[in-house]
């Protein structure tokens, strides 16, 4: 099957504040293996990622960009988002607007101020021991992905501990919103919108690609392991990758190849029929 995109981009993400180095980008073009995309400065930031993608979108490229963070919040039947506190918010893009407002224009798409906002604060575990009334609500895709990979994806509402994902999701949502607003006619965010525009932004879980390619969730930290995984994903070896890789580089490289592999197999934008209504409100990880 011919791919529908010119380029497949895997993005390993960070929701950190201040000076951070956790973002990595890689791309697959044509029949070539994945290659790391080098930032113009010393490191990628959320702002430079948005600018970089915006420039490529403006050139008319057909891009599939996969981001490693949750695109939405759990939607609970009878409660909606955030345990009935925002009954007027009934779709993901309205939720994004609320997140933007509550983030109080924090720089570099950080969302720190949000966790003290009256609509959001009760849902978050931010410090100390778990409170008795804290709810470990998860999106349906996180549960399905955990079953598929034998892992334990965390809830977006846990902002404590080494495996937390909530800060990355909040900062990521702000970034996605900016990319989409800059080019609404060219950009679709799946599955909140049909994937029928030149550029599609989609949620990824690199562990899923590692599990599919290697039968393991272990991080890819060297060129030899990466190339073994790429062979399983029917990809040429990585182009110019160093012998030693950071966790972030390994995840970006395997994700770029994994996205192209899913597209060739016709499995990119598919939802389980019974999960579709909830996925349209919460988001869905491609390949699950």
């Amino acid at each position: 099957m011919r791919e529908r995109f010119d380029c497949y981009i895997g993005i390993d993400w960070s929701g950190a504040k201040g000076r951070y180095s956790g973002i990595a980008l890689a791309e697959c073009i044509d029949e070539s293996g994945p290659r790391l995309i080098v930032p113009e400065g010393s490191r990628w930031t959320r702002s430079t990622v948005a600018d970089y993608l915006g420039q490529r979108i403006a050139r008319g490229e057909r891009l599939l960009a996969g981001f490693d963070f949750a695109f939405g919040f759990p939607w609970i039947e009878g409660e909606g988002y955030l345990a009935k506190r925002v009954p007027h918010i009934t779709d993901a893009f309205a939720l994004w607007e609320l997140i933007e407002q509550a983030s109080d224009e924090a720089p570099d798409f950080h969302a720190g101020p949000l966790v003290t906002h009256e609509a959001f604060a009760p849902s978050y575990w931010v410090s100390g021991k778990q409170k008795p009334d804290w709810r470990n609500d998860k999106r349906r895709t996180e549960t399905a992905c955990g079953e598929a990979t034998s892992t334990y994806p965390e809830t977006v509402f846990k902002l404590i501990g080494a495996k937390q994902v909530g800060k990355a999701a909040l900062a990521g949502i702000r970034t996605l919103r900016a990319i989409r607003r800059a080019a609404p006619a060219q950009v679709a965010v799946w599955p909140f919108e049909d994937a029928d525009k030149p550029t599609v932004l989609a949620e990824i879980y690199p562990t899923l690609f590692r599990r599919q390619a290697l039968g393991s969730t272990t991080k890819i930290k060297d060129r030899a392991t990466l190339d073994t995984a790429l062979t399983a994903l029917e990809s040429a070896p990585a182009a110019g990758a160093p012998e030693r890789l950071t966790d972030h580089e390994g995840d970006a490289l395997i994700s770029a190849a994994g996205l192209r592999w899913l597209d060739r197999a016709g499995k990119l934008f598919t939802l389980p029929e019974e999960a579709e209504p909830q996925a349209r409100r919460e988001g869905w990880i491609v390949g699950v």
Side-chain angles (χ1 to χ4, degrees):
M1 174 180 280
R2 182 182 181 274
E3 305 97 69
R4 56 167 289 189
F5 296 99
D6 300 322
C7 179
Y8 301 81
I9 302 176
I11 303 174
D12 198 56
W13 197 246
S14 174
K17 184 180 181 181
R19 186 173 181 82
Y20 52 91
S21 57
I23 296 179
L25 277 68
E27 66 178 354
C28 278
I29 297 175
D30 298 326
E31 297 300 315
S32 301
R35 71 171 189 90
L36 291 170
I37 303 174
V38 180
E40 289 189 3
S42 60
R43 63 190 175 91
W44 285 109
T45 67
R46 294 178 290 270
S47 298
T48 57
V49 169
D51 291 342
Y52 173 77
L53 291 177
Q55 291 167 12
R56 295 189 65 168
I57 291 165
R59 293 199 295 265
E61 293 187 57
R62 299 179 305 158
L63 306 175
L64 173 58
F67 294 80
D68 179 23
F69 57 79
F71 280 22
F73 283 4
W75 170 275
I76 309 299
E77 189 65 34
E79 295 185 0
Y81 300 112
L82 299 171
K84 297 183 179 181
R85 291 190 300 278
V86 289
H88 59 296
I89 303 296
T90 59
D91 66 84
F93 292 136
L95 177 65
W96 285 16
E97 292 303 317
L98 184 64
I99 288 170
E100 181 66 24
Q101 295 165 17
S103 298
D104 198 27
E105 299 183 350
D108 192 31
F109 300 117
H110 193 250
L114 177 148
V115 298
T116 60
H117 187 278
E118 61 181 1
F120 294 90
S123 290
Y124 283 101
W125 176 12
V126 296
S127 63
K129 293 183 178 180
Q130 180 178 327
K131 296 179 180 179
D133 59 348
W134 180 73
R135 291 169 39 167
N136 189 22
D137 291 335
K138 292 186 179 181
R139 299 177 303 151
R140 185 161 183 166
T141 191
E142 288 150 0
T143 301
C145 190
E147 293 171 352
T149 59
S150 299
T151 59
Y152 187 81
E154 290 283 4
T155 172
V156 294
F157 297 130
K158 183 180 178 183
L159 300 184
I160 188 171
K163 291 181 63 180
Q164 61 173 287
V165 295
K167 292 176 183 176
L170 292 170
I173 285 169
R174 292 191 67 202
T175 308
L176 294 176
R177 175 185 174 275
I179 295 170
R180 179 176 179 266
R181 282 173 62 87
Q186 287 77 41
V187 176
V189 182
W190 186 84
F192 307 138
E193 301 172 291
D194 292 336
D196 57 1
K197 294 181 182 177
T199 288
V200 178
L201 312 181
E203 182 178 341
I204 59 173
Y205 186 52
T207 300
L208 183 64
F209 295 126
R210 296 197 306 273
R211 170 69 80 182
Q212 290 168 328
L214 296 170
S216 169
T217 61
T218 303
K219 291 284 190 176
I220 296 172
K221 297 185 178 181
D222 61 83
R223 174 73 177 267
T225 304
L226 173 64
D227 285 343
T228 298
L230 293 176
T231 298
L233 297 178
E234 302 175 357
S235 170
E243 290 300 320
R244 302 299 301 175
L245 300 164
T246 67
D247 291 359
H248 310 295
E249 291 169 338
D251 277 352
L253 287 159
I254 194 69
S255 295
L259 287 170
R260 181 174 62 185
W261 176 70
L262 285 174
D263 192 14
R264 288 174 171 174
K267 298 179 180 178
L268 261 181
F269 305 121
T270 58
L271 292 171
E273 185 176 352
E274 71 279 4
E276 182 168 351
Q278 200 161 352
R280 296 288 185 183
R281 284 193 164 110
E282 296 183 336
W284 196 262
I285 298 165
V286 291
V288 172

